[in-house]
Each structure stands twice: as C-alpha cells, then as structure tokens.
Amino acid sequence: MTKKRYFSSESVTEGHPDKMADQISDAVLDAIMANDPNGRVACETALTTGMVMVMGEITTDCYVDVPKIVRDVVKDIGYTDASYGLDYNSCAVLVTIDEQSPDISQGVTESLEFRGDKADKYDEVGAGDQGMMFGYACRETEELMPLPIVLSHKLTNKLAEVRKRGSLSYLRPDGKAQVTVEYDGDIPKRIEAVVISTQHDEDITLEALTEDVKAQVILAVLPKELVDDETKIYVNPTGRFVIGGPHGDAGLTGRKIIVDTYGGMGRHGGGAFSGKDCTKVDRSAAYACRYIAKNLVAAGYADRLEVQVAYAIGVSRPMSVLVDTFGTGKLEAEKIEEIVTSVFDLRPGAIIDNLRLRRPIYRQTAAYGHFGRNDLDLPWEALDKVEELKKHL
C-alpha cells in the first residue's frame, strides 16, 4: 500500500540578495573565462544597503573591471532606483582580491598520480579540494527533475518576466516561491500549496497584488490538472513586502545551495557552485554527477537515481563512487557503479574537457537553478550517453 506524503521546495528570484551575490560572482568568473580559460577563480560577493563587496582568490593573466561587472549585473537585475536601497549607479563597490594559495595551486596543477610517473594527461589535474558531490534525476518531469523545484523555479522566473516586460510594473526584483506537492508513494498527484512572496511598490494594495499574481503568475504556470479546489494559495502572507533585496537582508554567495540543485529531494555535499572555476570539484563534479544520473534515468536504469563521488585534494581519481536507485533500479547498484566508472571519466581534467567547462557559461545558471534547465544549452544536461548506456542493460 502506498503512502500519501507531502514534499516542498522553494526558489528565489534573481533579485533576492543571495542570488544577486551568486550572479555577481559568476559574472566575474565568466569575464575571466572569456579571456583566460585557465584562470583560477574563487570569487565571493556580499551585499547590503548601498554596498557591494567582491572578495576572494583569483589568479589570472587578464584584466577584468570588477566594479563595472558589479554595476552591470545590479542594473540588469533591476535595482535602478536608490529608493530600493541599492542603485547600480550610486552604490559603493569594494574589491579585495588575492591570488590563489600556492599550496592549493600545486595540488591542482600537478596531481599525486602525475607526480609518480604516469603519462595520462587527465592524471595531471588534481581535485581542487576534498569533499563529496551528489547528482540526482527522476522521472517526475520532462526535465528529469523533482516536480516541486521545477514548479518553484517556473514561478520565480515568471515573476521576473512579468516585472521586466511591464505587465506587473509595480513589482520589484526580490521574491520567493514555494510549492508543496502531494505524492502517492513516489508519484506526484496534486499541488497542495503554493506560497509567493514578492517585493512591490508601496502604493499597490494586497488585494490587487494577490489577484494579479494569481492570474498572471501562479495559474499561468501551474499544470491545471494538478490544481484543485483544495489547493492552498498564499500571496505575500505577511501583508506587505516593500523593503527587500540587499536593503531588507544582506546577501552572500553560496547561501542558496538547495535552490541551486534539487530542492532538497536529493542529497547535497555542502559545497556551493557560484564564483568557482571548474577545477573546484564542488562545481564540476556536481555537474558531472547530474550528467551521469540524468543519462542513467533516461536510459532506463531506474525511475529515481542518485550518484555520489568523493575526492581528495590534489588527487585526480575519486575516492569512491556510489549509486542509489531507491529500490527502482533495473540492475544492482554495484553493477551500475561498475558501468558508471567504465563509461564516465570522473577525473577533474576529464570532466572539464568532456563538459567543456572552461567557457563563460556560468552567470546564466546563477538564478533559477543549475539543473533541469531546458531553456539553456548546458552540457551536463545533454543526453548523449543514453545509447551507450543502454548497451550495458
């Protein structure tokens, strides 16, 4: 007998202060990747009222105008008025950046294996840190992602769309969405609840805002067959959301790691993505794990599947590879793990080459999720290993 359960995920708009920090960090990374694909970047951003600080460790041969990048991102997001608490044209921009530690650089540039006598070029690049990374995929949606996070991202994306095109011109950039889905076992059956909190101009009434957001955002996005008379809808449940963005809360890079990934449905190793170049396995290996999990599910290995890899700093080959199919696998997990290690090269250098990660592709991922993005051409979302994997079934 299956069991009714509820699962919730949230997303935030591009004007949320933490997401602003992620976008600025990734915009700096993109600017360096465009001119120096071998640059080493660990860029962090902090925001508060009237101020943006960019800090971290960057080693590169190129020059990037960090203050201009910051102002361009803030303007693009929509903070163009000093009354919002942050204005791209007048905000203070502080930059404090050092070079990457030579101790870390040594382990990445020349791995433990390569310091032996091996000739394989992918043994040359060691992992940029220790840690574990996860990837997840499931059959709930066409994106092979969990339904709650997919719908949450679509809602926040829609909030930004109606604001920017002027349909709801009184909206401001900050906002959040949360979706609760009712499951029968592992099968999504209906939407139990939706919560939207969106920043707005002072003179709009809650009644008008609620009516507009329901019509132009919520009901425009949610699948009609999953909404019923029992679905609960909340818009700005506090009653007012005028003060927002960095004026309402400080923002920091890397504080929305569950929004960035699977909405809490899959495990997380704890490492954030934004502002990190591809030698950092927090980012590149998490992308590789999603790539593996998605291709395995698409190839019919399981209905739900999670991949974990673990690394040691300065060592190219993973410490471990683990597959969990949550009881839905067509093969034993140990057999799938053998297939994974034979089909996918999980050394950082191989991941970087195979997924073409030394490119300026990162800022576009820094809002509305890094995975399941059918609106973007992301190499880790490709299904180009499906036919090869089917041969092993």
Side-chain angles (χ1 to χ4, degrees):
M1 181 178 178
T2 56
K3 180 181 177 183
K4 181 190 293 187
R5 62 188 183 95
Y6 299 93
F7 195 92
S8 302
S9 295
E10 75 155 355
S11 176
V12 299
T13 65
E14 62 207 60
H16 185 282
D18 294 328
K19 271 285 140 230
M20 292 179 68
D22 286 342
Q23 290 168 88
I24 291 168
S25 292
D26 272 341
V28 172
L29 172 62
D30 277 355
I32 293 171
M33 289 294 102
N35 295 283
D36 179 13
N38 293 308
R40 299 279 173 80
V41 181
C43 180
E44 310 292 343
T45 302
L47 306 92
T48 189
T49 304
M51 188 192 80
V52 180
M53 176 182 285
V54 179
M55 55 198 147
E57 297 79 44
I58 296 176
T59 302
T60 180
D61 293 332
C62 71
Y63 169 77
V64 294
D65 188 342
V66 175
K68 184 178 186 306
I69 291 169
V70 169
R71 296 186 193 282
D72 286 347
V73 172
V74 173
K75 179 182 180 182
D76 184 54
I77 290 169
Y79 285 98
T80 57
D81 189 322
S83 68
Y84 293 179
L86 187 77
D87 170 31
Y88 80 98
N89 197 41
S90 61
C91 66
V93 179
L94 308 180
V95 181
T96 173
I97 292 172
D98 290 321
E99 289 190 341
Q100 183 183 55
S101 159
D103 297 340
I104 296 173
S105 179
Q106 174 181 317
V108 176
T109 304
E110 188 175 277
S111 72
L112 179 67
E113 295 98 325
F114 195 76
R115 293 198 296 273
D117 57 0
K118 299 203 175 180
D120 189 327
K121 70 173 182 176
Y122 292 137
D123 280 331
E124 181 176 359
V125 181
D129 203 351
Q130 69 180 48
M132 63 281 187
M133 298 83 213
F134 291 90
Y136 182 85
C138 61
R139 292 193 175 278
E140 290 180 26
T141 61
E142 64 176 342
E143 296 90 349
L144 300 184
M145 288 282 287
L147 181 62
I149 189 64
V150 167
L151 294 179
S152 296
H153 284 322
K154 287 181 177 180
L155 287 168
T156 51
N157 213 334
K158 194 70 170 178
L159 276 173
E161 178 190 320
V162 298
R163 170 177 63 87
K164 289 183 173 182
R165 76 177 182 219
S167 300
L168 300 181
S169 58
Y170 58 78
L171 294 184
R172 294 183 181 181
D174 197 359
K176 289 184 175 184
Q178 181 174 291
V179 177
T180 300
V181 173
E182 179 186 314
Y183 285 81
D184 184 5
D186 292 327
I187 308 299
K189 290 297 183 182
R190 55 180 292 275
I191 295 169
E192 169 68 11
V194 177
V195 184
I196 294 276
S197 294
T198 181
Q199 188 184 14
H200 56 85
D201 288 348
E202 195 157 5
D203 56 357
I204 188 71
T205 66
L206 178 60
E207 292 73 22
L209 182 145
T210 298
E211 182 178 340
D212 287 347
V213 169
K214 276 186 179 181
Q216 296 194 42
V217 178
I218 297 174
L219 298 180
V221 165
L222 299 184
K224 293 180 174 57
E225 66 275 13
L226 297 180
V227 178
D228 57 32
D229 293 339
E230 301 300 316
T231 299
K232 306 173 186 68
I233 295 177
Y234 302 93
V235 178
N236 283 16
T238 65
R240 178 181 168 89
F241 188 3
V242 174
I243 298 173
H247 186 39
D249 292 287
L252 291 171
T253 302
R255 283 209 301 201
K256 285 290 174 283
I257 60 176
I258 300 304
V259 171
D260 286 340
T261 53
Y262 307 101
M265 189 73 80
R267 296 181 181 96
H268 200 296
F273 300 155
S274 290
K276 297 176 181 177
D277 74 80
C278 54
T279 66
K280 279 74 171 174
V281 284
D282 277 344
R283 183 167 218 159
S284 54
Y287 289 169
C289 287
R290 163 62 179 173
Y291 177 55
I292 294 166
K294 186 177 183 182
N295 275 270
L296 286 169
V297 168
Y301 278 69
D303 293 330
R304 297 171 60 216
L305 188 143
E306 186 175 72
V307 178
Q308 184 207 48
V309 295
Y311 291 90
I313 188 169
V315 181
S316 66
R317 296 178 187 275
M319 300 293 100
S320 64
V321 177
L322 176 71
V323 171
D324 189 346
T325 64
F326 308 97
T328 70
K330 305 302 187 288
L331 298 174
E332 293 295 323
E334 293 83 358
K335 179 60 177 175
I336 301 176
E337 289 161 9
E338 291 176 9
I339 295 168
V340 166
T341 55
S342 69
V343 174
F344 299 92
D345 192 335
L346 285 165
R347 291 173 292 177
I351 292 171
I352 290 167
D353 280 359
N354 293 335
L355 296 182
R356 310 186 312 283
L357 297 181
R358 294 192 186 277
R359 298 182 291 146
I361 59 173
Y362 297 107
R363 188 200 155 185
Q364 62 184 343
T365 68
Y368 314 117
H370 294 245
F371 305 131
R373 296 295 299 274
N374 290 347
D375 58 320
L376 303 177
D377 181 19
L378 300 175
W380 53 89
E381 292 295 316
L383 292 173
D384 53 0
K385 293 290 186 181
V386 169
E387 294 308 315
E388 183 178 356
L389 287 168
K390 285 181 177 179
K391 297 174 183 176
H392 296 273
L393 268 176

